[in-house]
Coordinates of all heavy atoms in Angstrom, one line a residue:
M1086 N 0.8 -1.2 0.0 CA 0.0 0.0 0.0 C 0.9 1.3 0.0 O 1.8 1.4 0.8 CB -0.9 0.0 1.3 CG -2.3 -0.5 1.0 SD -3.4 0.8 0.3 CE -3.8 1.8 1.8
A1087 N 0.6 2.2 -0.9 CA 1.4 3.4 -1.0 C 0.8 4.4 0.0 O -0.3 4.5 0.3 CB 1.3 4.0 -2.4
K1088 N 1.8 5.2 0.6 CA 1.4 6.3 1.4 C 1.1 7.5 0.6 O 1.8 7.7 -0.4 CB 2.5 6.6 2.4 CG 2.4 5.8 3.7 CD 3.4 6.3 4.8 CE 2.8 7.3 5.7 NZ 3.7 7.6 6.8
E1089 N 0.3 8.3 1.1 CA -0.1 9.6 0.3 C 0.4 10.8 1.1 O 0.3 10.9 2.3 CB -1.6 9.7 0.1 CG -2.1 8.5 -0.7 CD -3.6 8.8 -1.1 OE1 -4.2 9.8 -0.7 OE2 -4.2 7.9 -1.8
Y1090 N 0.9 11.7 0.3 CA 1.3 13.0 0.8 C 0.7 14.1 -0.1 O 0.8 14.0 -1.3 CB 2.9 13.2 0.7 CG 3.6 12.1 1.6 CD1 3.8 10.9 1.1 CD2 4.1 12.5 2.8 CE1 4.5 9.9 1.8 CE2 4.7 11.5 3.6 CZ 4.9 10.2 3.1 OH 5.6 9.3 3.9
Q1091 N 0.0 15.1 0.6 CA -0.8 16.0 -0.1 C -0.1 17.4 -0.2 O 0.4 17.9 0.8 CB -2.1 16.2 0.6 CG -3.2 16.9 -0.2 CD -3.7 16.0 -1.4 OE1 -3.7 14.8 -1.2 NE2 -4.0 16.6 -2.5
K1092 N 0.0 18.0 -1.4 CA 0.5 19.3 -1.6 C -0.5 20.0 -2.5 O -0.6 19.8 -3.7 CB 1.9 19.3 -2.3 CG 2.4 20.7 -2.7 CD 2.9 21.5 -1.5 CE 3.6 22.7 -1.9 NZ 4.1 23.5 -0.7
E1093 N -1.4 20.9 -1.8 CA -2.5 21.5 -2.6 C -3.3 20.4 -3.3 O -3.7 19.5 -2.6 CB -2.0 22.6 -3.5 CG -1.2 23.7 -2.7 CD -0.2 24.5 -3.5 OE1 -0.4 24.6 -4.7 OE2 0.8 25.0 -3.0
D1094 N -3.5 20.5 -4.6 CA -4.3 19.5 -5.3 C -3.4 18.4 -5.9 O -3.8 17.5 -6.6 CB -5.1 20.1 -6.4 CG -4.3 20.8 -7.5 OD1 -3.0 21.0 -7.2 OD2 -4.8 21.2 -8.5
L1095 N -2.1 18.3 -5.5 CA -1.2 17.3 -5.9 C -1.1 16.2 -4.8 O -0.8 16.5 -3.7 CB 0.2 17.9 -6.2 CG 1.3 16.9 -6.6 CD1 1.1 16.6 -8.1 CD2 2.6 17.6 -6.4
T1096 N -1.4 15.0 -5.2 CA -1.2 13.9 -4.3 C 0.0 13.0 -4.7 O 0.0 12.5 -5.8 CB -2.5 13.0 -4.2 OG1 -3.6 13.8 -3.9 CG2 -2.3 11.9 -3.1
I1097 N 1.0 13.0 -3.8 CA 2.2 12.2 -4.1 C 2.0 10.8 -3.4 O 1.6 10.7 -2.3 CB 3.4 12.9 -3.5 CG1 3.6 14.3 -4.1 CG2 4.7 12.0 -3.7 CD1 4.2 15.2 -3.1
L1098 N 2.3 9.8 -4.2 CA 2.2 8.4 -3.7 C 3.6 7.9 -3.5 O 4.5 8.1 -4.3 CB 1.5 7.5 -4.6 CG 0.1 7.8 -5.0 CD1 -0.5 6.9 -6.1 CD2 -0.8 7.7 -3.7
W1099 N 3.8 7.2 -2.3 CA 5.1 6.6 -2.1 C 4.9 5.1 -1.7 O 4.3 4.8 -0.7 CB 5.9 7.3 -1.0 CG 7.3 6.7 -0.9 CD1 8.3 6.8 -1.9 CD2 7.9 6.0 0.2 NE1 9.4 6.1 -1.4 CE2 9.2 5.6 -0.2 CE3 7.4 5.6 1.4 CZ2 10.0 4.9 0.7 CZ3 8.2 4.9 2.3 CH2 9.5 4.6 1.9
D1100 N 5.4 4.2 -2.5 CA 5.3 2.8 -2.3 C 6.6 2.3 -1.8 O 7.6 2.1 -2.6 CB 4.9 2.1 -3.6 CG 4.6 0.6 -3.4 OD1 5.0 0.1 -2.4 OD2 4.0 0.0 -4.3
S1101 N 6.8 2.1 -0.5 CA 8.0 1.7 0.1 C 8.6 0.4 -0.5 O 9.8 0.2 -0.6 CB 7.9 1.6 1.6 OG 7.0 0.6 1.9
A1102 N 7.7 -0.5 -0.9 CA 8.1 -1.8 -1.4 C 8.9 -1.7 -2.7 O 9.7 -2.5 -3.1 CB 6.9 -2.7 -1.6
K1103 N 8.6 -0.6 -3.5 CA 9.3 -0.4 -4.8 C 10.6 0.4 -4.6 O 11.4 0.5 -5.6 CB 8.4 0.4 -5.7 CG 7.2 -0.4 -6.2 CD 6.5 0.4 -7.3 CE 5.2 -0.3 -7.8 NZ 4.4 0.6 -8.6
C1104 N 10.8 1.1 -3.5 CA 11.9 2.0 -3.4 C 13.2 1.2 -3.3 O 13.4 0.3 -2.6 CB 11.8 2.8 -2.1 SG 13.1 4.0 -1.8
T1105 N 14.2 1.7 -4.2 CA 15.5 1.0 -4.3 C 16.5 1.9 -3.5 O 17.7 1.6 -3.6 CB 15.9 0.9 -5.7 OG1 15.8 2.1 -6.4 CG2 15.0 -0.1 -6.5
H1106 N 16.1 2.9 -2.8 CA 17.0 3.7 -2.0 C 18.2 4.3 -2.8 O 19.3 4.4 -2.4 CB 17.5 3.0 -0.8 CG 16.3 2.4 0.0 ND1 15.5 3.2 0.8 CD2 15.8 1.2 0.1 CE1 14.6 2.5 1.4 NE2 14.7 1.3 0.9
S1107 N 17.8 4.7 -4.1 CA 18.8 5.3 -5.0 C 19.2 6.7 -4.5 O 20.2 7.3 -5.0 CB 18.3 5.3 -6.4 OG 17.1 6.1 -6.4
A1108 N 18.3 7.3 -3.7 CA 18.5 8.7 -3.2 C 18.4 9.7 -4.3 O 18.9 10.9 -4.1 CB 19.8 8.8 -2.4
V1109 N 17.9 9.4 -5.4 CA 17.7 10.4 -6.5 C 16.8 11.6 -5.9 O 17.1 12.7 -6.2 CB 17.0 9.8 -7.7 CG1 16.6 10.9 -8.7 CG2 18.0 8.8 -8.4
C1110 N 15.8 11.2 -5.2 CA 14.9 12.2 -4.6 C 15.6 13.1 -3.6 O 15.6 14.3 -3.6 CB 13.7 11.6 -4.0 SG 14.0 10.3 -2.8
A1111 N 16.4 12.5 -2.7 CA 17.0 13.2 -1.6 C 18.2 14.1 -2.1 O 18.4 15.2 -1.6 CB 17.6 12.2 -0.6
K1112 N 18.8 13.6 -3.2 CA 19.9 14.5 -3.8 C 19.3 15.6 -4.6 O 19.9 16.7 -4.7 CB 20.8 13.6 -4.6 CG 21.8 12.7 -3.8 CD 22.7 11.9 -4.7 CE 23.4 10.9 -3.8 NZ 23.7 9.7 -4.6
G1113 N 18.2 15.3 -5.3 CA 17.6 16.3 -6.2 C 16.9 17.4 -5.5 O 16.9 18.5 -5.9
L1114 N 16.3 17.1 -4.4 CA 15.5 18.0 -3.7 C 15.6 17.8 -2.2 O 14.6 17.3 -1.5 CB 14.0 17.9 -4.2 CG 13.1 19.2 -4.1 CD1 13.7 20.4 -4.8 CD2 11.7 18.9 -4.7
P1115 N 16.8 18.0 -1.6 CA 17.0 17.7 -0.2 C 16.2 18.4 0.8 O 16.1 18.0 1.9 CB 18.5 18.0 0.0 CG 18.9 18.9 -1.1 CD 17.9 18.6 -2.3
N1116 N 15.6 19.5 0.4 CA 14.7 20.3 1.4 C 13.4 19.6 1.6 O 12.7 19.9 2.5 CB 14.6 21.7 1.0 CG 14.1 21.9 -0.4 OD1 14.3 21.0 -1.3 ND2 13.4 22.9 -0.7
V1117 N 13.0 18.7 0.6 CA 11.7 18.1 0.7 C 11.8 16.6 1.0 O 11.1 16.1 1.9 CB 11.0 18.2 -0.7 CG1 9.7 17.3 -0.7 CG2 10.6 19.7 -0.9
F1118 N 12.8 15.9 0.4 CA 12.9 14.4 0.6 C 14.0 14.2 1.6 O 15.2 14.3 1.3 CB 13.2 13.7 -0.7 CG 12.0 13.9 -1.7 CD1 12.1 14.9 -2.7 CD2 10.9 13.1 -1.6 CE1 11.0 15.0 -3.5 CE2 9.9 13.2 -2.5 CZ 9.9 14.2 -3.4
K1119 N 13.6 13.8 2.9 CA 14.5 13.7 4.0 C 14.4 12.3 4.6 O 13.6 12.1 5.5 CB 14.3 14.8 5.0 CG 14.4 16.2 4.4 CD 14.2 17.2 5.5 CE 14.3 18.6 4.9 NZ 14.5 19.6 6.0
P1120 N 15.1 11.3 4.1 CA 14.9 9.9 4.5 C 15.1 9.7 6.0 O 14.6 8.7 6.6 CB 15.9 9.1 3.7 CG 16.2 10.0 2.5 CD 16.1 11.4 3.0
R1121 N 15.8 10.6 6.7 CA 16.1 10.4 8.1 C 15.1 11.0 9.0 O 15.2 10.9 10.2 CB 17.5 10.9 8.4 CG 18.6 10.1 7.8 CD 20.0 10.9 7.9 NE 20.9 10.3 7.0 CZ 21.7 9.3 7.2 NH1 21.7 8.7 8.4 NH2 22.6 8.9 6.3
E1122 N 14.2 11.8 8.4 CA 13.2 12.5 9.2 C 11.8 11.9 9.0 O 11.5 11.2 8.1 CB 13.2 14.0 8.9 CG 14.6 14.6 9.2 CD 14.7 16.1 9.0 OE1 13.6 16.7 9.0 OE2 15.8 16.6 8.8
R1123 N 10.9 12.3 9.9 CA 9.5 11.9 9.8 C 8.6 13.1 10.0 O 8.8 13.8 10.9 CB 9.1 10.8 10.9 CG 9.8 9.5 10.7 CD 9.4 8.8 9.5 NE 10.1 7.5 9.3 CZ 11.2 7.4 8.6 NH1 11.8 8.5 8.0 NH2 11.8 6.3 8.4
P1124 N 7.7 13.4 9.0 CA 7.5 12.6 7.8 C 8.7 12.8 6.9 O 9.3 13.9 6.9 CB 6.3 13.2 7.2 CG 6.2 14.6 7.7 CD 6.8 14.5 9.1
W1125 N 9.0 11.8 6.1 CA 10.3 12.0 5.3 C 10.1 12.8 4.1 O 11.0 13.3 3.5 CB 10.9 10.6 5.0 CG 10.3 9.9 3.8 CD1 9.1 9.1 3.8 CD2 10.8 9.8 2.5 NE1 8.9 8.6 2.5 CE2 9.9 9.0 1.7 CE3 11.9 10.4 1.8 CZ2 10.1 8.8 0.3 CZ3 12.1 10.2 0.5 CH2 11.3 9.4 -0.2
I1126 N 8.8 13.0 3.6 CA 8.5 13.9 2.5 C 7.9 15.2 3.2 O 6.8 15.1 3.8 CB 7.6 13.3 1.5 CG1 8.2 12.0 0.9 CG2 7.3 14.3 0.4 CD1 7.3 11.3 0.0
Q1127 N 8.6 16.3 3.1 CA 8.1 17.5 3.7 C 7.7 18.5 2.6 O 8.4 19.4 2.2 CB 9.2 18.1 4.6 CG 9.5 17.1 5.7 CD 10.6 17.5 6.7 OE1 11.1 18.6 6.6 NE2 11.1 16.6 7.5
V1128 N 6.4 18.4 2.2 CA 5.9 19.1 1.1 C 5.8 20.6 1.3 O 5.7 21.3 0.3 CB 4.5 18.5 0.7 CG1 4.5 17.1 0.2 CG2 3.5 18.6 1.9
E1129 N 5.9 21.0 2.5 CA 5.8 22.5 2.8 C 7.0 23.2 2.4 O 7.0 24.5 2.3 CB 5.4 22.7 4.2 CG 6.5 22.3 5.2 CD 6.4 20.9 5.7 OE1 5.8 20.1 4.9 OE2 7.0 20.5 6.7
N1130 N 8.1 22.5 2.0 CA 9.4 23.2 1.8 C 9.7 23.5 0.4 O 10.8 24.1 0.1 CB 10.5 22.3 2.4 CG 10.5 22.2 3.9 OD1 9.8 23.0 4.5 ND2 11.1 21.2 4.4
D1131 N 8.8 23.3 -0.6 CA 9.0 23.7 -1.9 C 7.7 23.8 -2.7 O 6.6 23.5 -2.1 CB 10.0 22.8 -2.7 CG 10.9 23.6 -3.6 OD1 10.4 24.5 -4.3 OD2 12.1 23.3 -3.6
T1132 N 7.7 24.3 -3.9 CA 6.5 24.4 -4.7 C 6.0 23.1 -5.2 O 6.7 22.2 -5.4 CB 6.7 25.4 -5.8 OG1 7.6 24.8 -6.8 CG2 7.3 26.7 -5.4
K1133 N 4.7 23.1 -5.5 CA 4.1 21.9 -6.0 C 4.7 21.5 -7.3 O 5.0 20.3 -7.5 CB 2.6 22.3 -6.3 CG 1.7 21.2 -6.7 CD 0.3 21.6 -6.8 CE 0.0 22.4 -8.1 NZ -1.4 22.6 -8.3
E1134 N 5.0 22.4 -8.2 CA 5.6 22.1 -9.5 C 7.0 21.5 -9.4 O 7.4 20.5 -10.0 CB 5.6 23.3 -10.5 CG 5.8 22.9 -11.9 CD 4.9 21.8 -12.4 OE1 3.7 21.7 -12.0 OE2 5.4 20.9 -13.1
T1135 N 7.8 22.1 -8.5 CA 9.2 21.6 -8.3 C 9.1 20.2 -7.7 O 9.9 19.3 -8.1 CB 9.9 22.5 -7.3 OG1 9.9 23.8 -7.8 CG2 11.4 22.0 -7.1
I1136 N 8.2 19.9 -6.8 CA 8.1 18.6 -6.2 C 7.6 17.6 -7.2 O 8.1 16.5 -7.3 CB 7.1 18.6 -5.0 CG1 7.7 19.5 -3.9 CG2 6.8 17.2 -4.5 CD1 6.8 19.8 -2.7
R1137 N 6.6 18.0 -8.1 CA 6.1 17.1 -9.1 C 7.3 16.7 -10.0 O 7.4 15.5 -10.4 CB 5.1 17.9 -9.9 CG 4.4 17.0 -11.0 CD 3.9 17.8 -12.2 NE 2.9 18.8 -11.8 CZ 1.6 18.5 -11.6 NH1 1.1 17.4 -11.8 NH2 0.8 19.5 -11.2
Q1138 N 8.1 17.7 -10.4 CA 9.2 17.3 -11.4 C 10.2 16.3 -10.7 O 10.7 15.4 -11.4 CB 10.0 18.6 -11.7 CG 9.2 19.5 -12.6 CD 8.7 18.9 -13.9 OE1 9.4 18.1 -14.5 NE2 7.5 19.2 -14.3
Q1139 N 10.4 16.5 -9.4 CA 11.3 15.5 -8.8 C 10.7 14.1 -8.6 O 11.4 13.1 -8.8 CB 11.7 16.1 -7.4 CG 12.8 15.3 -6.7 CD 14.1 15.2 -7.5 OE1 14.6 16.3 -7.9 NE2 14.6 14.1 -7.8
V1140 N 9.4 14.1 -8.3 CA 8.7 12.8 -8.2 C 8.8 12.0 -9.5 O 9.1 10.8 -9.5 CB 7.2 13.0 -7.8 CG1 6.4 11.8 -8.1 CG2 7.2 13.5 -6.3
L1141 N 8.7 12.7 -10.6 CA 8.8 12.1 -11.9 C 10.1 11.5 -12.3 O 10.3 10.7 -13.2 CB 8.3 13.1 -13.0 CG 6.9 13.5 -12.9 CD1 6.6 14.6 -14.0 CD2 5.9 12.4 -13.0
K1142 N 11.2 11.9 -11.5 CA 12.5 11.4 -11.8 C 12.8 10.1 -11.0 O 13.9 9.6 -11.1 CB 13.6 12.5 -11.4 CG 13.5 13.6 -12.4 CD 14.5 14.7 -12.0 CE 14.3 16.0 -12.9 NZ 14.9 17.2 -12.2
C1143 N 11.9 9.7 -10.1 CA 12.2 8.5 -9.3 C 12.4 7.3 -10.2 O 11.5 7.0 -11.0 CB 11.0 8.3 -8.4 SG 11.2 6.7 -7.4
P1144 N 13.5 6.7 -10.2 CA 13.8 5.6 -11.2 C 13.1 4.3 -11.0 O 12.9 3.5 -11.9 CB 15.3 5.4 -11.0 CG 15.6 5.8 -9.6 CD 14.7 6.9 -9.3
S1145 N 12.6 4.1 -9.8 CA 11.9 2.8 -9.5 C 10.4 2.8 -9.6 O 9.8 1.8 -9.6 CB 12.3 2.4 -8.0 OG 11.6 3.3 -7.1
G1146 N 9.9 4.1 -9.6 CA 8.4 4.2 -9.6 C 7.8 4.2 -8.2 O 6.6 4.2 -8.0
A1147 N 8.7 4.2 -7.2 CA 8.2 4.2 -5.8 C 7.5 5.5 -5.6 O 6.4 5.5 -4.9 CB 9.4 4.1 -4.8
L1148 N 8.0 6.6 -6.1 CA 7.3 7.9 -6.0 C 6.5 8.1 -7.3 O 7.0 7.9 -8.4 CB 8.3 9.0 -5.9 CG 9.0 9.2 -4.6 CD1 10.1 10.3 -4.8 CD2 8.0 9.7 -3.5
S1149 N 5.2 8.5 -7.1 CA 4.4 8.7 -8.3 C 3.4 9.8 -8.0 O 3.2 10.1 -6.8 CB 3.8 7.5 -8.8 OG 2.9 6.9 -7.8
I1150 N 2.7 10.2 -9.0 CA 1.6 11.2 -8.8 C 0.3 10.5 -8.9 O 0.1 9.7 -9.9 CB 1.7 12.3 -9.9 CG1 3.0 13.0 -9.9 CG2 0.5 13.3 -9.7 CD1 3.4 13.8 -8.6
K1151 N -0.6 10.7 -7.9 CA -1.9 10.1 -8.0 C -2.7 10.8 -9.1 O -2.9 12.0 -9.0 CB -2.6 10.2 -6.6 CG -3.9 9.4 -6.6 CD -4.4 9.4 -5.2 CE -5.7 8.6 -5.0 NZ -6.1 8.6 -3.6
Q1152 N -3.3 10.0 -10.0 CA -4.1 10.6 -11.0 C -5.5 10.8 -10.5 O -6.1 9.8 -10.0 CB -4.1 9.6 -12.3 CG -2.7 9.4 -12.8 CD -2.0 10.6 -13.4 OE1 -2.7 11.5 -13.9 NE2 -0.7 10.7 -13.2
V1153 N -6.0 12.0 -10.7 CA -7.4 12.3 -10.3 C -8.3 11.9 -11.4 O -8.1 12.3 -12.6 CB -7.5 13.8 -10.0 CG1 -8.9 14.1 -9.5 CG2 -6.5 14.1 -8.9
L1154 N -9.3 11.1 -11.1 CA -10.2 10.6 -12.2 C -11.2 11.7 -12.5 O -11.6 12.5 -11.7 CB -10.9 9.3 -11.8 CG -9.9 8.2 -11.5 CD1 -10.7 7.0 -10.9 CD2 -9.2 7.8 -12.8
Ligands
SF4_1631 S1 14.2 8.4 -5.9 FE1 12.6 6.8 -5.7 S2 13.8 4.9 -5.5 FE2 15.2 6.6 -5.1 S3 15.2 6.8 -2.8 FE3 13.7 8.2 -3.7 S4 11.7 7.1 -3.6 FE4 13.3 5.6 -3.4

């Protein structure tokens, strides 16, 4: 089951089972993706669009954008 993180109308999904711990997210946007902290995704620290762009770079698909139907 993926966890959900909300930033305005953007819902970020994180599926821990898919995460390969490549740290692409933490290196690309360290103010938001903080694996050592809880919550580890701190959406308040950057803009929706910047976060969306970083989510799309996740190589494993662990991070994704929830599609609104
Ligand atoms: S970029 Fe994706 S696979 Fe890599 S650590 Fe972040 S969530 Fe996990």
Side-chain angles (χ1 to χ4, degrees):
M1086 259 278 281
K1088 269 190 96 171
E1089 296 190 0
Y1090 297 82
Q1091 197 70 33
K1092 174 73 171 181
E1093 300 157 28
D1094 60 349
L1095 178 76
T1096 306
I1097 300 148
L1098 298 174
W1099 187 66
D1100 184 344
S1101 60
K1103 287 187 186 168
C1104 180
T1105 53
H1106 305 284
S1107 60
V1109 170
C1110 55
K1112 284 180 191 151
L1114 207 53
N1116 54 331
V1117 171
F1118 296 97
K1119 302 184 181 194
R1121 290 168 200 273
E1122 297 184 21
R1123 293 294 176 271
W1125 83 276
I1126 302 177
Q1127 299 179 8
V1128 293
E1129 65 275 19
N1130 293 339
D1131 217 317
T1132 66
K1133 188 174 78 172
E1134 198 46 43
T1135 303
I1136 295 171
R1137 182 205 306 274
Q1138 290 305 321
Q1139 188 62 51
V1140 164
L1141 296 177
K1142 291 177 187 160
C1143 174
S1145 69
L1148 286 171
S1149 61
I1150 304 296
K1151 186 173 184 177
Q1152 300 298 326
V1153 180
L1154 299 175

